[in-house]
Amino acid sequence: MTSSRPYMIRAIYEWVVDNGCTPYVLVNALYEGVFVPQQYVQDGQIVLNISPSAVMGLNVGNDYLTFSGRFGGVPQEVSAPISAVLGVYAKENGQGMLFETEEPDLPPTPPGPRPAASLSKLPSGKSKPSLKVVK
């Protein structure tokens, strides 16, 4: 059976937006195949605003979450395997869903062009990230 995670992410995202709130995703930035701006990573995790006004081309597929966003005014492509998404929730009240950490299988190649080198993953050897509640 396929993972329910991408379906839950899409459903919670839609529910948050329909209620006029800001959808955020919590991503394990140390997970294999994650390409995010490393200067915003804290404790191996990154919180991303995925509201329609903050990103372009949001795609929550069954294997990858991808979008274009601006970080410090600089446009960047973001890509993360769905398994790296640790939660999706509303910024305003914290309502949403957290997911269990999954060990990476070898994820399929992300769709489209590979993100720029500036979005490379952190060097190995860092301690395993822990999940924390973000409000």
Side-chain angles (χ1 to χ4, degrees):
M1 193 167 209
T2 61
S3 172
S4 62
R5 187 176 298 212
Y7 301 93
M8 299 305 292
I9 293 169
R10 289 188 290 263
I12 300 294
Y13 169 84
E14 187 174 324
W15 173 69
V16 168
V17 171
D18 284 352
N19 282 280
C21 293
T22 308
Y24 276 14
V25 290
L26 175 64
V27 176
N28 175 351
L30 302 178
Y31 198 94
E32 185 70 34
V34 171
F35 294 96
V36 296
Q38 292 299 306
Q39 63 270 32
Y40 299 100
V41 172
Q42 294 181 355
D43 299 324
Q45 300 175 345
I46 187 168
V47 176
L48 301 165
N49 176 349
I50 58 168
S51 68
S53 63
V55 302
M56 290 181 45
L58 177 65
N59 180 24
V60 184
N62 288 342
D63 297 316
Y64 272 84
L65 176 139
T66 60
F67 63 88
S68 297
R70 292 176 91 57
F71 297 86
V74 178
Q76 297 186 23
E77 297 295 316
V78 172
S79 177
I82 289 296
S83 302
V85 177
L86 301 174
V88 58
Y89 60 94
K91 170 190 171 187
E92 291 78 5
N93 58 21
Q95 290 188 7
M97 181 175 283
L98 295 177
F99 303 105
E100 291 183 17
T101 302
E102 291 182 8
E103 291 302 315
D105 296 332
L106 291 176
T109 305
R114 185 158 177 95
S118 66
L119 301 179
S120 63
K121 109 182 201 31
L122 286 175
S124 60
K126 296 284 184 179
S127 62
K128 191 170 184 175
S130 61
L131 185 61
K132 63 181 178 182
V133 178
V134 179
K135 292 193 179 198

